[in-house]
Amino acid sequence: MTVPTTTAPRHVVEVTAHGADPTGLRDSSPAVRDAIAAARRAGGPVTIRFAPGTYAFRASSAVRRELYVSNTVGADPRYREKSVGILLDGFEDVEIDGGGALFEYHGRQTTIAVIDCERAELHDFAVDMVQPTVVEVTVRETGVAGGRPFRLVSVPPGTDVRPHGRTVTWRGETDPAGGDPAWTGEGALDYCQVLDPRVNRTRRTECPLFDHVERVTATPGGLRVDYRADAPVPGDEGLVYQLRHTDRDHPGVFVLETGYARFHDVRFGYLHGFGLLAQSGGDLLVQNCVFATREGTGRTTAGFADFVQASGLRGRVVVEDCRFDGAHDDAINVHGLYLRVDRVDGDALELSYPHPETAGFPQFAAGERCEIVRVDDGTVVATDVEVLGVDGPSGRDHAHDLTRMRIRCAGPLPDAVAASAPGELAVENITRTPAVTVRRSTFLNLPTRGVLVSTRKPVLIEDCVFSGLGMAGVLITCEAGSYWESGPVADCTVRGNRFDDLGGPAVQISPPHFPAGGRSVHRGIRVLGNHVSNCAPWPHDGDEGRGPGGEGGHWIVDATSVDGLVVIDNTAATGSLSVRLDHCPGAEVSAGSGSPVRVSPAGAADGADGSDAAGLSAGVRRQNWS
């Protein structure tokens, strides 16, 4: 793809010339901040360059900004201010050349924020947190001693764990400036998932480590947990429990209102709070990056939540040649937002952010276009409506109500809008919907999905490997009324990928609500030439892993409310592929040169041959079904 460049001479600012310490022994936050200030004074295209080495960034000396971020902590006043280790703000053309350095972060903070820049390129460095906010507990030995079950567990080096009585206290890294730990927690914390390193699979679960405990004692490198005599005998030797709190108080990397941001050749070893989140900007490019723990850390978790998320972008999202391994949520999520319509006042709409994780930033601007839909079924009530004015939060302060805004539209609005009840309708900004390309990337060891995408601009997902995920490889949805992440997909190609050992179908298209008749939610989706092996059976609770044709493990597509779906030339490791269709008019499902395909409509009996099932979605072309 074409990457915009400039021919103007670049100024170069060396961070070590401003006192940054490449040994990692001293806090480099103030020196790097001085280097960034010098780069801003230089004007024009500028490169901020790091010498090889390790640079420490402490939260106590980080820049603090009031920021409101999609899919994090919403309007919660406790988290208004974010600590930012490296802040690039207001540059026309800025580059960070990491020189192969490691940026080590001490305490909870956003590692890098790129705000209000026209063009930013960041490359050739690694990011990690010295003491992550996910606790990892590996069960080394289990058994029974003296009539009581026990576990011997270990934790990664540097973990601060303090047993007392029947539980433990976990403590984050203590900052020398204040003397307080970055965070604390007791026992199982708020959330748990478990990794089986023998198969590199992670799943969400309840934590059993601190149930029925008699006492906890410290051992070299870990703990001994003794249980009551009536407790069940543990059988989880070798598993790694990953524990954390649930407040996403910081985005790991934040890109805000930036025209073009490119990250390439970066290793993200751990991102606290969230992943790399781009909001309300233009283009985001993530190329040749690794999202995975660094060797030698003894850790398995690289992300507190999603790895890459794009919310309300206007340009392109491009992810190429990347590896995603070890998050606590999805690898990639590209979406817009639905805001609830609480009141209609002529040509003005009073809106609110209904989901508690998202609030406080402007979702519309004058001159943009919106679409109005019914919350209960997604029916479009008005589309391509111009926004003339906005009164709402800024995303940078709390002077305005953080959960409400008012937009004035180019009227007149349809009668169905004027007559609607509070909460009946939702609005999507259809200007802030990006084109998406994901190619030649690998998705491993995730409890959820590989790629979520909800955008009406073209989407291409090709030549990727999805292996060992807890749910679908690719999810296409449209969620007014639940997560409130918009919107319909109109042009999506998923081709040439490999889907292995998933806990869901290769491709799942599942709007939770859709019109009872007539228009489909999605259209123009093509699933072409992919290979599927041992994906979850169809239906969800099938007969011991058997799909519609009695063969298990090759669930290629589960589709609801798609017009003109095309599923051709896909192959299975053995036997037939399984496809489920529900309200998918004009679908074309064919083996082509690939494996036989068995198709069932929603509600078909488990194990039935879908090609003969009554009630098959109207308009499906029967081609080459076995």
Side-chain angles (χ1 to χ4, degrees):
M1 67 170 293
T2 301
V3 176
T5 59
T6 178
T7 58
R10 303 192 71 86
H11 298 279
V12 177
V13 176
E14 303 283 355
V15 298
T16 52
H18 291 264
D21 176 17
T23 71
L25 298 177
R26 291 185 290 108
D27 181 10
S28 286
S29 300
V32 172
R33 188 159 57 248
D34 288 347
I36 293 171
R40 184 174 290 104
R41 291 192 299 271
V46 62
T47 296
I48 301 166
R49 191 158 62 194
F50 288 75
T54 297
Y55 297 84
F57 296 87
R58 292 198 174 275
S60 58
S61 55
V63 178
R64 296 188 66 81
R65 284 288 182 90
E66 184 170 351
L67 296 167
Y68 295 90
V69 182
S70 178
N71 295 75
T72 56
V73 287
D76 192 323
R78 295 175 297 170
Y79 306 115
R80 285 174 179 162
E81 287 194 337
K82 317 299 184 193
S83 299
V84 182
I86 298 175
L87 173 62
L88 305 177
D89 188 0
F91 282 92
E92 177 185 344
D93 184 344
V94 63
E95 174 190 21
I96 285 187
D97 179 351
L102 169 63
F103 301 166
E104 277 195 333
Y105 291 84
H106 300 258
R108 296 180 300 171
Q109 56 188 306
T110 292
T111 61
I112 299 166
V114 182
I115 299 176
D116 297 333
C117 295
E118 292 187 22
R119 182 182 189 277
E121 183 166 344
L122 302 91
H123 61 91
D124 290 288
F125 57 89
V127 168
D128 210 347
M129 188 173 180
V130 174
Q131 193 169 327
T133 47
V134 171
V135 170
E136 301 193 8
V137 183
T138 301
V139 181
R140 295 301 183 194
E141 182 181 341
T142 64
V144 178
R148 298 179 185 276
F150 71 90
R151 285 182 176 94
L152 293 179
V153 303
S154 63
V155 295
T159 304
D160 188 340
V161 54
R162 305 183 181 192
H164 52 90
R166 294 184 173 88
T167 188
V168 301
T169 296
W170 308 100
R171 291 168 58 92
E173 186 180 12
T174 298
D175 194 303
D180 295 324
W183 61 275
T184 62
E186 298 288 315
L189 301 180
D190 304 321
Y191 170 90
C192 175
Q193 61 186 42
V194 63
L195 165 69
D196 186 343
R198 294 163 292 196
V199 293
N200 203 35
R201 289 294 299 268
T202 303
R203 58 184 173 85
R204 292 173 169 176
T205 185
E206 297 295 323
C207 176
L209 298 176
F210 301 100
D211 295 338
H212 314 294
V213 174
E214 183 66 29
R215 65 180 175 274
V216 183
T217 53
T219 64
L223 303 166
R224 179 186 177 99
V225 186
D226 291 289
Y227 299 92
R228 298 195 305 262
D230 60 349
V233 177
D236 51 1
E237 191 167 319
L239 299 185
V240 182
Y241 291 93
Q242 302 167 347
L243 315 177
R244 61 171 169 82
H245 290 307
T246 54
D247 290 330
R248 300 173 175 180
D249 51 37
H250 285 76
V253 177
F254 191 35
V255 180
L256 176 63
E257 286 290 1
T258 290
Y260 173 90
R262 182 185 182 211
F263 295 80
H264 66 90
D265 298 283
V266 179
R267 173 89 182 225
F268 297 97
Y270 180 78
L271 292 173
H272 163 67
F274 212 41
L276 192 170
L277 193 154
Q279 178 176 303
S280 301
D283 295 342
L284 173 67
L285 284 67
V286 183
Q287 299 167 308
N288 199 35
C289 291
V290 175
F291 295 77
T293 57
R294 293 184 304 119
E295 293 80 3
T297 62
R299 305 194 308 255
T300 60
T301 300
F304 190 98
D306 295 0
F307 274 137
V308 174
Q309 183 157 140
S311 176
L313 298 190
R314 295 179 287 270
R316 303 169 296 164
V317 175
V318 178
V319 179
E320 297 175 320
D321 304 298
C322 292
R323 179 162 70 92
F324 301 93
D325 184 344
H328 274 217
D329 212 329
D330 309 308
I332 300 172
N333 186 356
V334 181
H335 64 89
L337 295 172
Y338 281 118
L339 270 63
R340 185 176 59 211
V341 179
D342 291 333
R343 183 171 177 265
V344 181
D345 181 11
D347 62 357
L349 304 177
E350 293 188 5
L351 311 176
S352 63
Y353 282 101
H355 197 280
E357 291 182 337
T358 298
F361 55 88
Q363 184 57 20
F364 296 91
E368 295 179 335
R369 302 273 171 168
C370 66
E371 182 170 275
I372 306 172
V373 303
R374 295 190 183 281
V375 170
D376 61 352
D377 65 4
T379 298
V380 175
V381 177
T383 192
D384 202 30
V385 177
E386 183 180 1
V387 177
L388 300 179
V390 181
D391 177 20
S394 70
R396 318 291 178 94
D397 60 52
H398 55 280
H400 192 283
D401 187 324
L402 296 172
T403 62
R404 306 190 67 80
M405 71 181 63
R406 179 182 176 94
I407 65 171
R408 186 166 58 86
C409 301
L413 294 172
D415 292 342
V417 175
S420 64
E424 182 182 344
L425 303 179
V427 181
E428 176 192 8
N429 186 332
I430 60 177
T431 301
R432 302 188 188 188
T433 55
V436 179
T437 300
V438 180
R439 58 162 62 102
R440 298 186 304 273
S441 294
T442 302
F443 302 83
L444 305 166
N445 183 26
L446 303 167
T448 50
R449 285 80 40 143
V451 178
L452 279 71
V453 63
S454 299
T455 178
R456 61 191 68 210
K457 293 203 179 93
V459 176
L460 174 62
I461 302 169
E462 67 175 355
D463 299 331
C464 296
V465 174
F466 300 82
S467 179
L469 310 187
M471 300 180 189
V474 175
L475 174 62
I476 297 170
T477 186
C478 185
E479 296 187 294
S482 50
Y483 280 94
W484 299 85
E485 294 180 1
S486 61
V489 166
D491 179 1
C492 176
T493 300
V494 181
R495 71 184 178 204
N497 303 286
R498 186 178 186 93
F499 298 93
D500 294 331
D501 196 24
L502 306 185
V507 179
Q508 184 171 6
I509 309 162
S510 60
H513 311 290
F514 57 91
R519 187 191 68 88
S520 298
V521 172
H522 302 294
R523 59 185 171 86
I525 298 175
R526 299 164 292 277
V527 182
L528 314 172
N530 303 282
H531 183 78
V532 178
S533 175
N534 194 31
C535 291
W538 179 91
H540 300 278
D541 55 352
D543 177 18
E544 296 182 356
R546 298 185 180 275
E551 297 165 345
H554 308 313
W555 191 11
I556 177 73
V557 171
D558 177 0
T560 300
S561 193
V562 184
D563 188 6
L565 174 69
V566 176
V567 183
I568 62 173
D569 284 337
N570 301 285
T571 60
T574 57
S576 300
L577 293 162
S578 295
V579 173
R580 173 188 175 275
L581 302 177
D582 184 5
H583 292 82
C584 293
E588 178 183 349
V589 181
S590 171
S593 59
S595 301
V597 183
R598 295 184 180 272
V599 182
S600 274
D606 184 28
D609 184 343
S611 62
D612 297 325
L616 195 63
S617 298
V620 175
R621 284 182 262 174
R622 301 168 179 256
Q623 297 189 26
N624 232 3
W625 300 349
S626 63

